[in-house]
Amino acid sequence: MCDMRSTEIEETQLVTAEMKVHVLRTGTLEGDLSWFLLRKGDTFIDRYHKDDPRIWSHYPTHAVLIEHPEGRILWDTGLPRNWEEQWAPAGFNDYFPVTEDVNATTGWLDSGLASLELAPEDIDVLVLSHLHYDHVGNARMFDNGKTRIIANNNEIAGVKTIEGTVDGAHLVSEFLGLPLEGTPGDVDLVEGVHLINTPGHTWGTMSLQLDLPNDGTKIFTSDAIYLKDSYGPPIVGSPIVWDNRMWLESVHKLRGIADRTGAELIFGHDKDQIELIKTGPDEFYS
Ligand SMILES: [Zn+2]
């Protein structure tokens, strides 16, 4: 107990960096809830339930823009406007169509950056939580010779093993040839901005921990935890996981950090939570 208390004090003392953090909405997917959440009893049905309707739901995406004294950092890039064309080779479009009417209101990455009077060249560092199509859809915007693009070493090594053009939600054309810089994870990118290794969803999925002087610690989980209902307790798994045991360990790891720091977790694709957090152009965390 004493050790844990001293850790808390150290972590509190680290909360000094002045940051302005904007959460940008970057498009919303639709699809079968079973992709994200296999509820108990929902995996297999019996003959008496064969006509039960499945649950079709919405899955918003977001990016995080961090205005830090040492530079501008962007976390993830969301969905591309030209998704129908870009994803056609993968065959995702009928399973995960993008909700155009919602996006007309909530915007896309380029309009979100523009609302802050920013263009892709203004971003110093782009960090990709992992290389799935709903997180790297706009990554090529940042292949501008100025923005550093960072992903986890294990994710970069993992995608090199893909044969062909698509592997699950990895669409090779979205990241092939990008100047990806590797990170081992579990590192401070700059003061107050920590990249947490949370593998399992993919080889090298990371989460983002921000230690904010006014708003406390926020952890953006990306797909280490899709939804509040994934986090539980009880933790509820999903079929789109590369390694279930590692995924579970990562959820436990994030819960441990949240318990220690009092962090708020912001899940990767939760349609109810996104409405409760600050995402407007004039709103920010600090
Ligand atoms: Zn993913």
Side-chain angles (χ1 to χ4, degrees):
M1 282 305 287
C2 287
D3 284 342
M4 187 164 299
R5 194 164 301 154
S6 65
T7 305
E8 278 177 6
I9 291 165
E10 279 170 26
E11 285 176 2
T12 306
Q13 287 170 342
L14 285 175
V15 181
T16 53
E18 287 197 13
M19 284 185 266
K20 241 183 178 180
V21 176
H22 293 272
V23 181
L24 306 174
R25 297 193 62 165
T26 52
T28 295
L29 297 163
E30 294 181 32
D32 189 325
L33 184 61
S34 298
W35 289 106
F36 293 92
L37 201 64
L38 279 177
R39 290 176 185 279
K40 286 194 177 73
D42 197 30
T43 314
F44 302 107
I45 55 170
D46 62 20
R47 69 168 92 178
Y48 307 108
H49 297 89
K50 60 188 176 185
D51 296 324
D52 280 6
R54 302 186 73 87
I55 300 172
W56 186 264
S57 190
H58 291 80
Y59 314 97
T61 69
H62 60 261
V64 184
L65 187 273
I66 306 157
E67 301 263 15
H68 191 279
E70 294 194 37
R72 280 196 196 93
I73 301 162
L74 183 70
W75 169 255
D76 275 346
T77 71
L79 309 181
R81 283 178 184 268
N82 68 337
W83 59 276
E84 279 182 283
E85 183 189 339
Q86 190 163 312
W87 297 349
F92 298 138
N93 294 2
D94 289 338
Y95 291 92
F96 296 106
V98 175
T99 306
E100 299 281 6
D101 54 340
V102 173
N103 296 334
T105 314
T106 58
W108 304 85
L109 179 64
D110 54 2
S111 51
L113 289 173
S115 72
L116 302 172
E117 300 184 346
L118 294 173
E121 313 80 76
D122 296 320
I123 304 302
D124 297 298
V125 179
L126 167 65
V127 184
L128 298 167
S129 65
H130 62 303
L131 299 179
H132 273 170
Y133 71 95
D134 52 330
H135 296 259
V136 301
N138 295 302
R140 290 202 180 280
M141 280 185 198
F142 301 89
D143 188 10
N144 52 33
K146 293 173 78 176
T147 307
R148 288 169 59 197
I149 307 178
I150 294 177
N152 189 278
N153 286 335
N154 291 335
E155 189 76 2
I156 294 171
V159 296
K160 285 182 181 157
T161 67
I162 296 174
E163 294 177 11
T165 56
V166 181
D167 183 356
H170 286 103
L171 182 54
V172 172
S173 58
E174 294 191 315
F175 48 78
L176 187 70
L178 281 180
L180 294 175
E181 198 179 308
T183 176
D186 287 333
V187 293
D188 289 322
L189 193 59
V190 290
E191 187 184 358
V193 178
H194 189 71
L195 304 179
I196 311 171
N197 277 333
T198 47
H201 172 67
T202 64
W203 304 281
T205 298
M206 296 190 292
S207 300
L208 171 71
Q209 178 178 342
L210 302 178
D211 295 317
L212 298 164
N214 297 314
D215 289 308
T217 298
K218 309 273 179 201
I219 298 176
F220 293 86
T221 68
S222 183
D223 287 349
I225 307 174
Y226 312 103
L227 312 172
K228 183 171 185 297
D229 285 345
S230 317
Y231 186 54
I235 298 169
V236 181
S238 135
I240 44 174
V241 166
W242 165 71
D243 185 307
N244 275 297
R245 182 171 173 164
M246 289 174 85
W247 183 81
L248 272 173
E249 286 173 355
S250 292
V251 177
H252 287 302
K253 179 177 180 177
L254 291 173
R255 198 187 302 279
I257 297 170
D259 287 347
R260 249 189 354 262
T261 62
E264 178 187 11
L265 298 186
I266 293 140
F267 306 111
H269 296 285
D270 195 296
K271 68 180 170 53
D272 299 319
Q273 185 186 39
I274 196 80
E275 302 299 340
L276 302 175
I277 63 176
K278 296 177 181 178
T279 58
D282 300 325
E283 299 179 307
F284 57 86
Y285 297 101
S286 64

